[in-house]
Every structure is written in C-alpha cells, then in structure tokens.
Amino acid sequence: MNQNHTNNQCTPTFKRLWNRDFTMLVIAEVMLCMSCYMAIPLLPQRLAVSHGISMECASATMIAFVVGICVSGFFSSWLIQRYRRNKVFCISALCLGLTIATMFVLTDRTAGFTVAIRDVEAIAIFLTCGFFFGNAKRVLSCTLLIDKTESCHRTEANYTAIWTSRLAIVAGPMAALALTNEARTSLIYTIAAVAVLLSMLLVLSVRFPFRAPEEGTRILSLDRFFMLRGWSTTIVVMLMAAALGLLIATKQDIEFYLFMISGFVISIMVLQYAVVRTGRYTSAVGNACILVAMAAMLSYHGWAEDTLCPILLGMGFGLTSSEQLYKLLDHCDHCQRSTAESTYFMASDGGLFLGIAYCWSPAHNEAMSDILIATLFILATMVCTAGTMAKKKHNKFHA
C-alpha cells in the first residue's frame, strides 16, 4: 500500500522528448514568437513612410522594445519563484496580446494626434510590448519547457526552443509581407494578438505541479536573466543577430526569406549528427558559408543574390549560432541552464532589433547596407575564431 502511494506521488517520466506536454509548449512557443516577429520588425517602415512618424521615432521604437525585454529580465527570478510559473506566463501573454491589439491605432490614418504625441505613444507601446514579450518568452522557453523535460533531454529541449525562435524570426516577417499583399495591414495585428492568446490557452492545457513560493528572493536579480560568463559568445550572437536584423529590414522580399529558411532547414539536418552539433569547428564552417554569401552579394548581382546567397546565409547562421548555444551551456554551473538560454535570447533578440533600429535611423546609408552587414559578420567571425582557438572541445554533457 505504501508502495502504491509512493508511485502515485512520483512525477511522470517520459522516455522521449516529444511527449504531449512538450509538444503543446513548443507550439505555444511558435505562436508567441510569430506574434511578435510578424507584427514588429516591419512596423518602423510603415510608421515612417506612411503614417507621419519621424525617422528618429521609428528607430527609437525598436530600441524601446529591446529596453523592455532587458528590464523585464531583472524581475524574472522573483516572479517565477514567488508565483506559479504558468500563471506568470499567461498574465504576461494576455497583456502582450492586448498591447499588440492596440498597435493598429498607430497605423490608422484617421488618428488625429500631433506628430509629437504619436511619437511618444509609439515608444510607450513598444516599451510595454518588449517588457511583456521578454517576460513571457523567458518563462516559457527558459523555465516551463525545462520543467516538463527530464534531465537527460534538457539540452535538446534548449536546442529546440532556440530553433523555434530562430525559424520564427524569418517566418514572421515573411507571413507579414504575405498578409500585407493580400489584406489590410491592421489584420496583421489582429492575427498576432490572436496567436498570443492561443499560446496562453496551450500553456493552460498543460498541467504543472504546485510549487510552494520561495521566501527571501530579491525582486531585482540577474538570476535566470543574464550570465556574465561567456561574454565572448554573447558578443558573437549579438553581432550576427544585428546583421540579420539589417537583412530583414532591407531585404523585404518573400523569396529571400523563403530561401533563408531553406538554409535553416539544411543546417538543422546537418546538425542532427552529434559530431557536427558539438564539433569544435562547426562555427568555422558556418562562418565560411556566411562570408562566401556576403562576398557574392557584394560582387555579383543576379540570380545567386536572391537564391544561393540567402541559402548559404541561413545555413551558416544556423550552424554558428547553434554552436554558440552549446558554448553558453558549457559555461553553466548547476541550475544555470535557464540563465544561459535567457542570455542567448537577450543577445539574439537584442542584436536583431538594434539592427532593425539602425536601419531606420537617419545615420543609415542604404548604399552601404551590404558592406555594414558583411562587416558585422566579419567581426563576429573574428571573435568566434579567437574563442574557438582559446577554448577546449565542448563537454559531452551540460549542466
């Protein structure tokens, strides 16, 4: 009888990663990421070109979004230790959905606000959106996904969460362009808001065990937010993400995005082999693909620029950034896995939206875009090479 009672109290175990709960959470991750990456990266152009927002403000909205993501990180540890984690996500997702739903006001030609008021309104909305997105993303991918995964599968779970976000970065703007061509722009924000609410419902469908709140947790903390070690890896990810942000903002072409996703898929297939995934020179191969693609874009304008180059870029970006995730996990102490993934998220999304912000700033020179993108990738390659030469091979197991 005691034995049966003990078995009833055990947490259910899964022999494989892709069980029902994990699948529901990954789909929620897709919905959450697509909602923001579909609604936000292309909005500065519409604000600046069509709706009277100044170029400085259009750029500042992206910076405000990054600031919101960063500020939310200081509260992450306290929120998930003090309250139920799935409820923290649901409240953040609900607030994010409501914030996205108000964005159509900024694209309404009949709104009778002065330019100054519209600028302040735009920055405030994006700051709020960044705060709730950052909080929801950390709780879901850095905590809830790991909570529903056994220890032996957690590195693969981190890897899946990062790839979900990476694919959404390109798929989101591609979907927004397709919707813009077929329907009114305001429909994008309606769909994005609905996607966030669907992610909330999916998380509510997964049962999480009750955890007693921990006392003495500080309200402001770097725990589960930013890992100071592995700074060189963070720089590499940020530089590459900034270059990708410039590409997204300047290459607003569905075919370009489609071929880049094809490159991502190729890198996913290659990374199925453990010797590639944790190899010491995986980043070198990825960087070589990126630099070849950028050299072709700078020297040749034709079919290769629209087809082969984005495929090589997607493949190279996938290989290098995946290897950087494993480097961050190598730097982990026990129970720092969430902090490592949050650090990657900060570097990736921070660099991405700062790249978009620069593209819409008055300092941006369209004729020099490809050179700037190539320069960012070269700097990332240099930092990555220095880190590879200085570090040992990856550990087979991570914290």
Side-chain angles (χ1 to χ4, degrees), residues 147-169:
D147 285 348
K148 299 301 291 186
T149 306
E150 287 191 75
S151 298
C152 59
H153 295 311
R154 286 183 175 176
T155 295
E156 189 176 352
N158 290 130
Y159 182 76
T160 301
I162 292 299
W163 264 109
T164 300
S165 302
R166 190 175 297 148
L167 290 170
I169 285 173

Side-chain angles (χ1 to χ4, degrees), residues 49-112:
V49 175
S50 304
H51 304 291
I53 298 292
S54 64
M55 291 291 292
E56 292 83 357
C57 178
S59 177
T61 56
M62 296 293 95
I63 297 175
F65 186 78
V66 175
V67 171
I69 290 176
C70 294
V71 171
S72 67
F74 290 104
F75 302 94
S76 295
S77 180
W78 177 73
L79 286 172
I80 65 175
Q81 299 293 352
R82 186 68 182 84
Y83 303 101
R84 296 196 67 168
R85 298 172 177 184
N86 57 335
K87 298 297 178 61
V88 173
F89 169 81
C90 291
I91 292 174
S92 298
L94 178 62
C95 294
L96 175 63
L98 294 175
T99 306
I100 291 177
T102 63
M103 285 185 178
F104 76 92
V105 175
L106 297 176
T107 58
D108 186 359
R109 293 179 184 274
T110 63

Side-chain angles (χ1 to χ4, degrees), residues 4 32 51 59 121 180 221 295 358:
N4 292 335
L32 178 69
H51 304 291
S59 177
E121 180 190 29
T180 301
S221 173
Y358 177 79

Side-chain angles (χ1 to χ4, degrees), residues 323-343:
E323 208 247 345
Q324 301 310 305
L325 173 62
Y326 280 91
K327 283 186 176 181
L328 278 175
L329 293 174
D330 280 344
H331 288 289
C332 287
D333 287 333
H334 184 61
C335 295
Q336 278 195 317
R337 183 181 295 275
S338 295
T339 309
E341 188 171 349
S342 177
T343 301

Side-chain angles (χ1 to χ4, degrees), residues 171-193:
M174 185 173 68
L177 285 174
L179 287 171
T180 301
N181 294 335
E182 299 295 333
R184 295 184 305 167
T185 302
S186 59
L187 182 63
I188 295 174
Y189 307 110
T190 303
I191 294 174

Side-chain angles (χ1 to χ4, degrees), residues 170-374:
V170 180
M174 185 173 68
L177 285 174
L179 287 171
T180 301
N181 294 335
E182 299 295 333
R184 295 184 305 167
T185 302
S186 59
L187 182 63
I188 295 174
Y189 307 110
T190 303
I191 294 174
V194 170
V196 177
L197 297 180
L198 287 176
S199 72
M200 181 183 70
L201 294 177
L202 286 168
V203 171
L204 286 175
S205 71
V206 178
R207 184 175 181 180
F208 293 91
F210 172 76
R211 293 179 71 258
E214 294 187 11
E215 301 296 335
T217 304
R218 290 180 295 179
I219 294 179
L220 299 178
S221 173
L222 290 180
D223 184 34
R224 300 179 183 270
F225 168 40
F226 189 76
M227 190 169 66
L228 297 177
R229 288 174 298 174
W231 59 268
S232 61
T233 303
T234 303
I235 291 175
V236 172
V237 175
M238 183 169 286
L239 288 171
M240 293 185 64
L244 183 63
L246 282 168
L247 277 170
I248 288 176
T250 56
K251 308 288 185 181
Q252 295 189 13
D253 182 13
I254 293 179
E255 292 184 356
F256 186 90
Y257 294 152
L258 186 61
F259 283 115
M260 183 173 287
I261 288 180
S262 300
F264 283 161
V265 173
I266 293 173
S267 65
I268 291 174
M269 296 171 63
V270 173
L271 287 163
Q272 292 300 310
Y273 299 97
V275 67
V276 177
R277 187 184 293 192
T278 60
R280 184 173 182 179
Y281 298 105
T282 302
S283 289
V285 176
N287 292 335
C289 292
I290 291 172
L291 295 180
V292 168
M294 292 309 305
M297 290 178 66
L298 290 172
S299 60
Y300 176 78
H301 298 283
W303 68 272
E305 183 181 9
D306 299 324
T307 57
L308 183 60
C309 288
I311 291 176
L312 285 175
L313 282 171
M315 182 176 175
F317 189 89
L319 290 174
T320 301
S321 55
S322 293
E323 208 247 345
Q324 301 310 305
L325 173 62
Y326 280 91
K327 283 186 176 181
L328 278 175
L329 293 174
D330 280 344
H331 288 289
C332 287
D333 287 333
H334 184 61
C335 295
Q336 278 195 317
R337 183 181 295 275
S338 295
T339 309
E341 188 171 349
S342 177
T343 301
Y344 186 96
F345 163 60
M346 287 285 299
S348 178
D349 279 49
L352 177 77
F353 287 102
L354 288 177
I356 296 173
Y358 177 79
C359 184
W360 293 107
S361 69
H364 177 246
N365 185 347
E366 186 174 353
M368 299 293 290
S369 289
D370 288 344
I371 295 177
L372 178 58
I373 293 169

